[in-house]
Amino acid sequence: MQIVFEHIDNAHDMGGMTGAGGRKVRLHRLLRTAHLHDATDNDVARLKKEYNLCRVFDFRSLGESEHQPDREMEGVQHHLLPTIDMRAEQDTGKPIPEEAFFELDKHIVNYSFYPEVQKMAANMYPSLIRSEFSQLQYAAFLRLIIEAPEDGGILWHCAQGKDRTGWGAAFLLFALGVDKEEIIEDFDRSNEAYEPIVRKLNQDILDRGGGADEMAVIQAFMGVSTQNFIRTQELIDREFGGMSKYLNDYLFVSDDDMQILRERFLE
């Protein structure tokens, strides 16, 4: 369910989704968003009043979080859990420097014409899923939710609240027993928030003589590639034995842990 704040973008309440046994995810308990740097006083007051917010998880890199630090909120624990190892990304010759991500909309059209960036866009989700570094960050995210106060609200985000945040949502929703199709619908919902900027940048691509390959980069970096998300779920089935085994063996979420989450967040 989309939630409109004054200056927090791409906010979705997980409440109302159907989990294990037909039980619904509780409203005002689980919230995914874009970064909180521009959150207003009213936004902060609303998060604390409506969501009883107790923990915020920030999946951005250290550089991103320093560039646009989240608003501090009294009584709320903030956990920086960078889900991408930026040092390893640069050491392996990734073509986009971290600084470009701070204002990616100003640079991505130029980068979209690079074949190595087109490959990077296609491999973004498989790289995240296979990375031990990323697995450990998501494992910490889920463990800290399990250990959080039972009545406290949880918020997680990255920069735009779509890719890294979307995978965090997918792991948590699967643990709650939400079916794959509803998880895909939640992931795809970010495209509604970013459709105007994607449309504008795609027109810039066409004006420069680009086509489908370049627009796929725009979709991957400025919207979300739902097809890549689906293909990566299929990769999890092939390479890791399915999402349940991935959660158990790589994110260290036991069946008992899933039951704890379901008792806390389902009604």
Side-chain angles (χ1 to χ4, degrees), residues 23-30 54-55 57 141-154 172 175-176 256-267:
R23 299 162 66 191
K24 300 293 185 180
V25 177
R26 298 179 190 274
L27 285 168
H28 296 163
R29 297 296 303 280
L30 298 172
C54 71
R55 294 196 175 183
F57 297 93
F141 163 63
L142 294 168
R143 180 56 48 195
L144 288 165
I145 292 177
I146 292 167
E147 296 174 355
E150 291 190 12
D151 61 345
I154 305 295
L172 179 55
L176 293 174
D256 288 343
D257 291 331
M258 291 188 201
Q259 190 60 36
I260 290 170
L261 291 169
R262 292 173 185 186
E263 288 304 313
R264 184 173 301 172
F265 294 113
L266 299 181
E267 59 184 5

Side-chain angles (χ1 to χ4, degrees), residues 85-136:
D85 186 351
M86 295 304 295
R87 181 176 298 178
E89 292 278 300
Q90 299 308 317
D91 288 347
T92 54
K94 293 295 184 183
I96 303 179
E98 182 179 8
E99 294 76 14
F101 285 96
F102 299 164
E103 295 181 300
L104 192 57
D105 59 320
K106 297 180 180 179
H107 306 287
I108 193 61
V109 170
N110 288 332
Y111 280 116
S112 71
F113 286 86
Y114 296 8
E116 58 268 41
V117 173
Q118 295 170 9
K119 182 177 180 181
M120 179 183 176
N123 290 332
M124 185 188 308
Y125 300 157
S127 296
L128 189 74
I129 291 300
R130 291 178 174 131
S131 165
E132 183 177 350
F133 180 93
S134 302
Q135 291 166 1
L136 290 173

Side-chain angles (χ1 to χ4, degrees), residues 196-224:
I197 184 65
V198 169
R199 184 174 65 250
K200 176 186 179 300
L201 294 174
N202 279 342
Q203 186 58 54
D204 292 345
I205 293 286
L206 295 173
D207 291 345
R208 297 189 189 190
D213 291 341
E214 290 76 23
M215 287 190 287
V217 173
I218 300 300
Q219 187 65 46
F221 283 100
M222 303 309 300
V224 294

Side-chain angles (χ1 to χ4, degrees), residues 33-35 58-60 156-165:
T33 72
H35 68 75
D58 185 348
F59 294 153
R60 296 177 297 170
W156 64 99
H157 73 85
C158 51
Q160 296 170 276
K162 56 187 192 68
D163 302 298
R164 292 167 286 185
T165 297

Side-chain angles (χ1 to χ4, degrees), residues 44-58:
V44 171
R46 186 177 173 193
L47 286 171
K48 296 181 74 173
K49 180 179 180 180
E50 292 185 18
Y51 285 85
N52 189 27
L53 194 65
C54 71
R55 294 196 175 183
V56 169
F57 297 93
D58 185 348

